[in-house]
Amino acid sequence: MTGLPRHVVAERAARAAETVRQQPCPRCGADTLVARTTDRVAAVDVRADPTPVDPATAPAGRLLWCLVQHEHIGDRIRWRDRWHATACTHPVLADHTCPPRPIQESLL
């Protein structure tokens, strides 16, 4: 029995990694969206909060991503660069940041 050619396996793996999927954060358990970006320079693994944000009032210090919804290839997360942001009509997502942990009272 022969397997698929390596280039076909690699292409399918890349497509699966780029597909947006819902996954709990391993640290805090919050619902997040994860995917690998397909940007020109480098692929980046992204974990973003699933609720879209208003880019004008987005929290400072967090990276913003566009959730591009495509009829034929499905949803993709895209880097929100300054050229894309000027004409963007996609939902905007912010990088996931775990909420602060409650302060544990020391036992006396």
Side-chain angles (χ1 to χ4, degrees), residues 1 8 31-33 35-36 50 72 79 83 98 102 107:
M1 180 175 161
V8 173
D31 288 335
T32 59
L33 297 177
R36 181 168 295 145
H72 300 291
W79 173 253
W83 298 281
C98 294
L107 299 173

Side-chain angles (χ1 to χ4, degrees), residues 17-57:
E18 294 166 1
T19 301
V20 178
R21 56 206 178 279
Q22 199 162 9
Q23 194 176 70
C25 173
R27 184 169 180 218
C28 68
D31 288 335
T32 59
L33 297 177
V34 295
R36 181 168 295 145
T37 65
T38 57
D39 292 323
R40 298 167 291 219
V41 178
V44 177
D45 290 326
V46 176
R47 182 175 300 277
D49 290 330
T51 306
V53 298
D54 179 3
T57 60

